[in-house]
Amino acid sequence: MTSPLPHRSATSTAPERHDEEELHQRRTAIAALGHELRALVDAAVRTTAAPSTLNRVSDGVHRLTAQLTGRRRTRAEVPEVDEFPGGVRMYSPVTGTGSPLAPPLRVTRLDRGAAGTCALAMAHEGPPGYGHGGISATLLDELMG
C-alpha cells in the first residue's frame, strides 16, 4: 500500500515494534476490508431491494461490526499503520485504501506537479449523475495541502 503522493517522512510515527512483513500484512488486510466496505456502500446506495432484504442485511452488518473488537484508538490517535505526517494514511477519508468513504483516487507525482484520476461513485453524488461539490472540495483540499 502506498500513499497517493508517495514519499517517506523522516519523522514517521509508524511503530518500531511492527516488522515490515507484519506491517505489510496489516495494511493489506485493512485495504481489503476498505475495498469490501466501499462495495457494500455502493450496493447500499444503488439497491432497490425489498424491506425484508434490507432488514436482513442490516442485521448481518450489525453482527459483522461486533466482530471488530479489541481496543479502539482514540479520536486524535495516529493509527499504527500510518506514517504521519507526510506518508501513508490508511484511513484518510480521501486517500485511505482502508476507508469506506475514500473514492478511488490515484495520484502520481510529476516533475512539476501531480496528475490524478478519480471516478466518483453514486455514494459521492450530489445532483443525480454529478459528483457532490463538497466531495470535489474535499479532494482538492487533500491534494493541495
Side-chain angles (χ1 to χ4, degrees):
M1 298 291 111
T2 60
S3 168
L5 297 176
H7 62 283
R8 295 194 58 90
S9 170
T11 60
S12 173
T13 59
E16 293 178 6
R17 71 178 185 269
H18 286 295
D19 67 356
E20 287 299 315
E21 180 60 26
E22 182 181 353
L23 181 60
H24 174 73
Q25 289 176 357
R26 186 155 179 79
R27 286 179 175 167
T28 299
I30 289 167
L33 179 59
H35 173 79
E36 294 304 328
L37 289 172
R38 285 187 297 280
L40 177 62
V41 168
D42 186 63
V45 300
R46 290 174 172 262
T47 190
T48 58
S52 61
T53 299
L54 297 174
N55 287 324
R56 188 174 59 253
V57 170
S58 176
D59 291 343
V61 169
H62 179 79
R63 285 189 301 277
L64 288 172
T65 301
Q67 293 180 38
L68 297 175
T69 60
R71 189 186 81 76
R72 294 184 181 204
R73 63 185 170 90
T74 61
R75 177 170 249 201
E77 182 180 350
V78 175
E80 292 181 349
V81 293
D82 282 7
E83 296 172 4
F84 186 81
V88 173
R89 297 282 317 280
M90 292 299 296
Y91 299 108
S92 165
V94 179
T95 61
T97 57
S99 172
L101 308 174
L105 174 66
R106 300 293 173 252
V107 179
T108 305
R109 283 189 186 269
L110 303 173
D111 290 338
R112 302 186 77 177
T117 60
C118 180
L120 299 178
M122 287 179 87
H124 306 110
E125 198 172 62
Y130 293 90
H132 191 284
I135 298 295
S136 298
T138 301
L139 291 167
L140 286 172
D141 176 68
E142 181 77 11
L143 296 174
M144 301 299 282

